[in-house]
């Protein structure tokens, strides 16, 4: 029998992938707002964790695992297309090559840092969300959403920044950036939590799904186990 997915699941999956690709491109710019230095990916990346929470809460870890791997594949696909575009010769009259190459010609260490940090952080986020839901009997969604995000965002930052910018940015500044990113991304989750709660409640009502991950495998490689 063919597997079917609901419209809400499909739409969240699409938004998840778009947010990840956008964040991956925005990460190439380091911004400073009110004296705080962060990467521009902060604008959109936390949204992917909020979507991750919604999917894990409504459809369970196995569906979250599927979406995470799809996000990884689409990110990798866009990165490869960007590198191919950079390698192709530019038209002699085009003056934007240097800027284009800066955005899409990401160094291998940036690609490795971004994709690895995404996988580890996203899977930890979904795992914590799933286990806490079973342990709490489905109660305390706010606490589960916040703690899963803190765990996931911490792992993401601890991997991405040292791999991507180690030796380029001074370690004191790098550690400060990591801490700021973790705090701001987690605060992002807290501030938007009222919206997240309403979205989850609405999806559960529309979709009729509220999965508890009892007796499942948390092996991240079992993609077909959906």
């Amino acid at each position: 029998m063919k597997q079917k997915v609901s419209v809400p699941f499909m739409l969240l999956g699409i938004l998840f992938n778009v947010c990840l690709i956008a964040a991956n491109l925005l990460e190439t710019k380091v911004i400073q707002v009110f004296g705080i230095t962060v990467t521009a990916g902060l604008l959109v990346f936390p949204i992917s964790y909020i979507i991750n929470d919604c999917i894990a809460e409504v459809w369970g870890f196995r569906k979250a695992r599927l979406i995470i791997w799809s996000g990884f594949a689409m990110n990798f696909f866009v990165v490869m297309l960007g590198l191919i575009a950079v390698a192709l010769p530019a038209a002699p009259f085009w003056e934007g090559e240097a800027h284009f190459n800066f955005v899409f010609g990401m160094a291998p260490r940036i690609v490795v840092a971004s994709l690895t940090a995404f996988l580890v952080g996203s899977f930890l986020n979904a795992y914590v969300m799933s286990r806490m839901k079973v342990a709490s009997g489905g109660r305390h969604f706010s606490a589960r959403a916040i703690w899963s995000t803190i765990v996931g965002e911490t792992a993401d930052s601890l991997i991405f920044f040292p791999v991507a910018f180690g030796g380029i940015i001074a370690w004191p500044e790098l550690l400060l950036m990591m801490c700021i990113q973790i705090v701001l991304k987690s605060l992002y989750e807290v501030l938007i939590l009222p919206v997240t709660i309403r979205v989850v409640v609405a999806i559960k009502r529309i979709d009729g799904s509220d999965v508890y991950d009892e007796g499942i495998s948390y092996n991240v490689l079992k993609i077909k186990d959906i």
Side-chain angles (χ1 to χ4, degrees):
M1 184 178 294
K2 293 182 178 179
Q3 294 282 353
K4 295 182 179 180
V5 297
S6 65
V7 172
F9 179 78
M10 180 184 68
L11 293 177
L12 283 180
I14 292 172
L15 182 58
F16 183 80
N17 281 269
V18 170
C19 288
L20 290 176
I21 292 170
N24 203 41
L25 296 175
L26 294 175
E27 288 283 0
T28 57
K29 181 173 182 177
V30 178
I31 62 176
Q32 192 170 63
V33 181
F34 302 118
I36 300 176
T37 303
V38 294
T39 60
L42 179 66
L43 296 173
V44 67
F45 189 73
I47 298 175
S48 68
Y49 275 79
I50 295 169
I51 297 173
N52 192 332
D53 287 341
C54 292
I55 293 175
E57 171 68 17
V58 178
W59 294 285
F61 180 85
R62 290 177 292 184
K63 283 293 195 296
R65 177 172 54 201
L66 175 64
I67 290 298
I68 291 169
W69 278 115
S70 74
F72 175 86
M74 293 304 100
N75 251 322
F76 184 80
F77 182 59
V78 171
V79 167
M80 291 302 103
L81 289 177
L83 293 177
I84 292 172
V86 168
L88 293 173
F93 57 82
W94 188 52
E95 299 178 354
E97 184 174 13
H99 301 293
F100 182 91
N101 292 353
F102 178 80
V103 175
F104 289 96
M106 291 182 288
R109 65 184 294 179
I110 298 291
V111 174
V112 171
S114 178
L115 295 179
T116 303
F118 158 69
L119 282 179
V120 174
S122 296
F123 276 122
L124 281 175
N125 181 83
Y127 175 79
V128 171
M129 191 71 180
S130 171
R131 296 304 299 165
M132 288 185 70
K133 181 176 182 179
V134 173
S136 66
R139 299 184 299 275
H140 313 305
F141 172 78
S142 297
R144 292 187 280 114
I146 292 171
W147 278 111
S148 63
T149 296
I150 291 174
V151 171
E153 295 287 11
T154 299
D156 183 280
S157 295
L158 288 176
I159 293 173
F160 176 76
F161 283 97
V163 176
F165 300 117
I168 299 175
I169 298 177
W171 279 103
E173 182 68 20
L174 197 60
L175 290 172
L176 181 60
M177 287 177 63
M178 289 165 59
C179 293
I180 291 173
Q181 289 266 123
I182 293 169
V183 171
L184 291 182
K185 287 179 178 179
S186 300
L187 182 61
Y188 197 129
E189 169 76 41
V190 174
L191 293 176
I192 205 171
L193 192 56
V195 176
T196 306
I197 293 172
R198 285 167 173 77
V199 169
V200 167
V201 170
I203 291 175
K204 285 182 178 180
R205 184 181 67 252
I206 296 169
D207 196 78
S209 180
D210 189 8
V211 174
Y212 286 77
D213 293 319
E214 296 176 344
I216 72 163
S217 170
Y218 285 98
N219 183 346
V220 299
L221 298 179
K222 295 185 69 173
I223 305 175
K224 293 184 179 180
D225 182 22
I226 59 173

